[in-house]
Amino acid sequence: MKSNVPTAHNEAKLGDIAKTVLMPGDPKRAKFIADTFLENAKMFNNVRGMKGFTGTYKGRKISVMGSGMGMPSIGIYSYELFKFYGVENIVRIGSCGAYTKELNLYDVVLAKDVWSESTFAKIQSGYQQETIEPNEQLNSALIKIAESLAIDIELVKVHSSDVFYREKFTEYIQIRDEKKCQVVEMEAFALFANAKILGKKAACLLTVSDNLETKQATNFTEREKTFTKMMKIALELAE
Ligand code: HPA
């Protein structure tokens, strides 16, 4: 029988990838995490430069791999990890824009639910709802870890958007006020939809990289290196 791995997008062999995978959007951030925090990290993927590494954190196994930007991209990589590589848990560790003044740059937030106008889940599986939840067990574990590390995290409703550059920039005000979304990013909805349809677990931790209300923003070198609070929380899921 033909094996499903390697896939068109991932050259890893079965067994190369841990049960828990952390997914930053940027593959360079995946390399940064592997270089900075993992022991004995080995690269399992470099197809299209979408680097993935498996190593140990405090002696426990974990993997980290870039997801790319947007739902089509994380949709492909997370589906293959769950379906073909036996991955059980994926935690997105990304950046987000804040829709409210109450959130500051570098605040860490955890998705309690995600709203999206995307057609991803409708087309992928027929899931018709506009809102989707993360896995409760994973969220509780992440909340407990954050407490034990004395890192503040806020539970927020996330907007997963298909569009970064909107001609009507101020539309976010309506999404905030009507849908009650506090932050925007571009991947969580597809990740959670894949987890749901495949019987797996997913969660999403985000660091605020810009604020649409105050117009404050971090630059890309800061983004690459300073999101360590969020990384340290997620890395504790290693087993
Ligand atoms: N929009 C969408 N995704 C994002 C943003 C944003 O402003 N900031 C970080 N990820």
Side-chain angles (χ1 to χ4, degrees):
M1 199 178 82
K2 186 179 168 295
S3 161
N4 286 308
V5 305
T7 72
H9 319 98
N10 195 329
E11 62 194 326
K13 298 186 293 298
L14 272 185
D16 283 353
I17 306 177
K19 266 167 63 180
T20 299
V21 181
L22 311 185
M23 298 196 92
D26 184 352
K28 269 172 41 193
R29 211 177 296 155
K31 183 173 189 315
F32 171 79
I33 294 167
D35 289 346
T36 312
F37 296 110
L38 298 189
E39 303 112 25
N40 306 312
K42 284 203 182 68
M43 187 162 72
F44 62 74
N45 189 48
N46 199 20
V47 176
R48 293 178 183 242
M50 197 55 78
K51 293 181 172 54
F53 303 85
T54 298
T56 57
Y57 182 68
K58 301 181 182 173
R60 286 130 52 200
K61 200 170 168 188
I62 194 156
S63 296
V64 55
M65 178 178 168
S67 70
M69 290 183 285
M71 289 185 248
S73 185
I74 197 166
I76 292 170
Y77 293 115
S78 64
Y79 190 91
E80 292 181 349
L81 290 172
F82 282 144
K83 177 96 178 170
F84 305 133
Y85 285 102
V87 169
E88 292 297 327
N89 312 302
I90 296 181
V91 179
R92 163 162 158 71
I93 46 172
S95 62
C96 63
Y99 281 168
T100 81
K101 285 197 179 88
E102 280 69 48
L103 289 167
N104 297 308
L105 295 185
Y106 304 114
D107 279 358
V108 180
V109 300
L110 178 67
K112 68 172 156 57
D113 50 0
V114 179
W115 177 83
S116 186
E117 66 277 71
S118 168
T119 53
F120 181 91
K122 290 188 181 76
I123 292 166
Q124 204 280 327
S125 67
Y127 182 85
Q128 295 294 334
Q129 296 167 57
E130 290 188 339
T131 311
I132 197 160
E133 285 80 36
N135 177 269
E136 253 177 67
Q137 249 177 290
L138 261 189
N139 260 26
S140 315
L142 290 164
I143 292 166
K144 250 197 213 152
I145 293 165
E147 271 171 17
S148 72
L149 297 175
I151 298 171
D152 282 335
I153 55 171
E154 187 158 344
L155 280 131
V156 296
K157 183 164 180 179
V158 174
H159 174 205
S160 278
S161 177
D162 278 328
V163 180
F164 188 91
Y165 295 110
R166 285 172 181 255
E167 288 303 297
K168 291 186 187 154
F169 172 75
T170 51
E171 274 173 349
Y172 81 86
I173 295 167
Q174 202 179 341
I175 295 169
R176 178 193 63 201
D177 296 347
E178 285 176 15
K179 306 296 176 184
K180 309 296 175 206
C181 295
Q182 293 148 278
V183 302
V184 58
E185 54 81 80
M186 306 185 75
E187 293 83 16
F189 190 84
L191 171 63
F192 293 2
N194 277 346
K196 202 177 202 72
I197 204 73
L198 296 170
K200 306 281 181 156
K201 297 186 187 130
C204 175
L205 273 170
L206 301 164
T207 301
V208 176
S209 63
D210 48 280
N211 188 307
L212 282 79
E213 285 279 284
T214 64
K215 314 272 192 292
Q216 289 174 294
T218 58
N219 67 38
F220 63 86
T221 14
E222 283 174 320
R223 281 185 200 206
E224 204 180 302
K225 300 262 157 65
T226 56
F227 290 179
T228 51
K229 279 193 291 186
M230 167 177 74
M231 293 168 190
K232 283 179 180 165
I233 298 170
L235 280 162
E236 288 291 340
L237 292 173
E239 52 192 334

